[in-house]
Amino acid sequence: MSDTTLTRSARARRTWRQRLAERVAGRDLTWGSARHSHAPPAGPASDTDATAPEGTPSRSAADGGDATALWRMRTTVRDRPGSLAALCAALAAQRVDILSLQAHPLTDGTVDEMLLRAPAGLSAEVLGAAAGAGGGRDTWVERADAHDLVDGPTRVLGLATRTALDAAELPVALRQLLGRCTIRSQPANPPFGRRSAADEVPADGVLEDTLMRLPDPSGGSVTIERPHLPFTPTEFARARALIELDSRLGPRVPLSQDVVTLPEGNEITVRRADPGDLEAARAMHDRCSPATLAMRYHGPVADADRYLEHLLSPRYGRTLAVQTASGRLVALGHLLWDGEETEVALLVEDAWQRRGIGARLLRQLVEMAVETDCAYVYAVTQAANTGMVAAMRGLGLPLDYQVEEGTLVITAQLAAAALSAGPRGEGG
């Protein structure tokens, strides 16, 4: 059984209460995309992807051609005149071109982060050895792609813009800023239990090697961890500035909304939800049957209301709300950040089921996941939930099914295919 299968099976065994409690307690909260992975080194250098990125020629230099490949390298050199020149000369001897360079000053040296174009036949081990010959240490190497050609300041400004437009973008922006890392958010008022003194973070934050802790704009804290690759003071300052920007702008959710006419002629509005929808969501819970709530939450229905504040918070993902022409909220769709396999979840009030609302919500949530570079989305449900199963199948994406103790986990691979071309709201 593969590691992925084991992970999904373990996830299937967790009840809704356990999974949400883990999120609230600050566990199992990895956000972001597959780019800038910052994978741990396996020695002097780490070839984390033996397959050339999309669009990169695969012919080797031995073929006599000019095929090249893009690499990202991070190495530490001594802080003295000529150190960078020696490193550049060692790379040039291997016909490696440095496309961009960022310097991260340390007390005992300088971390140089570079984007390289190298002959296609050159391996990560050779690049790492060349860096070592040029005076580099603690070298880390991984394959890059065309997205890395954007210069650093431009990329940071783009992430700041995304964060300014939508509070839900902060975790995604942090992940794309810092690479593959685990981001844990500790809320100011957990639904269960209390915050401890250990959860308090100084106003300026804390940087400890591969871990940084920063105060969260909502009153809680954010912990960011990246094993095997220490954060630099420069990265810490960037993360702190991004969180400070989010704090100064306050709560914000895009105001865009779509008005949809259902087959029977009723109009509904699909829009982003936020904590201001808490009371309306609780009222919808009251109108739902116990069977519908149990199908959605996979645990004690009495606890569902206690998690709504968490689910509606943009800190943990994005939520779509469906309301009628009279303003009544009748459905919720959640996109919850959970690593590269982001979770999707739906709740449609009984009287509004089987009208295509769930299928429309799911398609729009998946489109959001694609926009944030998620590789997968998964839904935790039950085999008896034929509506959710049909909606996932209606996406037209490759699906993987895992059944464990009556719980069904359906995982859709987003990178493998585009969404089917049917209009939103069709099917389901």
Side-chain angles (χ1 to χ4, degrees):
M1 183 178 292
S2 67
D3 290 342
T4 302
T5 301
L6 286 171
T7 300
R8 292 172 184 157
S9 297
R11 183 185 294 120
R13 286 193 292 269
R14 289 187 292 166
T15 65
W16 176 85
R17 168 197 266 270
Q18 289 171 324
R19 289 185 290 111
L20 267 296
E22 287 172 1
R23 286 197 179 96
V24 171
R27 300 192 301 273
D28 200 22
L29 271 177
T30 308
W31 289 293
S33 71
R35 297 179 192 160
H36 311 297
S37 61
H38 286 186
S46 174
D47 190 352
T48 60
D49 184 2
T51 305
E54 181 179 356
T56 302
S58 58
R59 292 185 301 130
S60 68
D63 295 333
D66 296 325
T68 60
L70 296 175
W71 295 87
R72 295 178 65 237
M73 173 185 287
R74 176 178 287 212
T75 190
T76 303
V77 299
R78 285 181 290 181
D79 188 13
R80 70 178 190 183
S83 295
L84 180 57
L87 176 63
C88 293
L91 293 173
Q94 297 293 333
R95 299 170 53 206
V96 175
D97 185 19
I98 300 175
L99 302 180
S100 67
L101 184 146
Q102 292 187 59
H104 301 248
L106 303 176
T107 56
D108 59 343
T110 301
V111 174
D112 289 330
E113 186 170 3
M114 296 172 282
L115 178 64
L116 310 175
R117 177 178 284 123
L122 224 58
S123 67
E125 287 76 12
V126 173
L127 288 171
R137 58 180 171 83
D138 300 328
T139 301
W140 162 87
V141 183
E142 82 163 0
R143 293 300 274 273
D145 60 24
H147 298 97
D148 293 291
L149 291 172
V150 178
D151 71 284
T154 300
R155 183 165 62 90
V156 171
L157 286 172
L159 295 177
T161 300
R162 289 176 59 175
T163 302
L165 294 174
D166 187 351
E169 288 290 329
L170 177 62
V172 179
L174 285 171
R175 171 59 176 77
Q176 294 190 352
L177 177 69
L178 301 171
R180 183 180 300 154
C181 55
T182 301
I183 303 178
R184 301 182 179 90
S185 184
Q186 176 67 35
N189 300 300
F192 295 92
R194 297 181 179 179
R195 282 174 56 87
S196 65
D199 295 324
E200 301 298 329
V201 179
D204 292 335
V206 176
L207 174 61
E208 298 174 349
D209 198 36
T210 61
L211 181 143
M212 65 172 77
R213 302 181 66 211
L214 294 160
D216 187 278
S218 64
S221 62
V222 176
T223 300
I224 309 171
E225 189 171 7
R226 188 176 65 194
H228 309 291
L229 194 61
F231 292 111
T232 66
T234 301
E235 290 175 312
F236 178 71
R238 290 172 180 171
R240 186 170 59 185
L242 198 59
I243 292 178
E244 182 177 353
L245 171 66
D246 182 78
S247 177
R248 288 181 177 275
L249 293 175
R252 62 210 176 278
V253 171
L255 299 178
S256 60
Q257 57 185 28
D258 297 328
V259 178
V260 181
T261 302
L262 297 176
E264 69 269 21
N266 291 321
E267 285 190 348
I268 60 170
T269 299
V270 182
R271 60 172 177 79
R272 284 284 298 279
D274 60 30
D277 293 298
L278 181 60
E279 292 305 317
R282 286 174 175 164
M284 184 185 70
H285 274 185
D286 293 339
R287 296 191 300 270
C288 289
S289 66
T292 292
L293 292 177
M295 196 80 72
R296 161 63 181 93
Y297 294 116
H298 321 293
V301 174
D303 290 338
D305 284 358
R306 303 179 67 178
Y307 285 108
L308 272 176
E309 186 173 357
H310 173 87
L311 290 171
L312 292 173
S313 170
R315 184 63 68 245
Y316 306 101
R318 298 175 179 176
T319 298
L320 293 176
V322 176
Q323 65 182 39
T324 65
S326 65
R328 172 179 285 188
L329 195 150
V330 297
L332 289 173
H334 303 286
L335 185 72
L336 300 169
W337 309 135
D338 189 17
E340 294 179 1
E341 295 182 345
T342 304
E343 182 179 359
V344 289
L346 303 174
L347 176 64
V348 182
E349 186 178 323
D350 296 64
W352 291 85
Q353 292 177 7
R354 300 190 180 279
R355 302 189 188 189
I357 294 176
R360 182 197 165 87
L361 277 178
L362 181 62
R363 181 175 296 274
Q364 196 161 340
L365 291 170
V366 169
E367 289 174 353
M368 288 180 175
V370 172
E371 291 171 0
T372 56
D373 303 320
C374 294
Y376 303 90
V377 295
Y378 71 88
V380 180
T381 185
Q382 301 172 23
N385 191 350
T386 56
M388 188 65 178
V389 174
M392 291 292 288
R393 292 180 62 184
L395 294 172
L397 298 173
L399 301 178
D400 174 79
Y401 300 86
Q402 297 292 329
V403 180
E404 196 74 26
E405 298 180 3
T407 300
L408 174 64
V409 181
I410 310 174
T411 303
Q413 185 177 350
L414 303 185
L419 293 175
S420 57
R424 288 177 177 172
E426 192 172 80

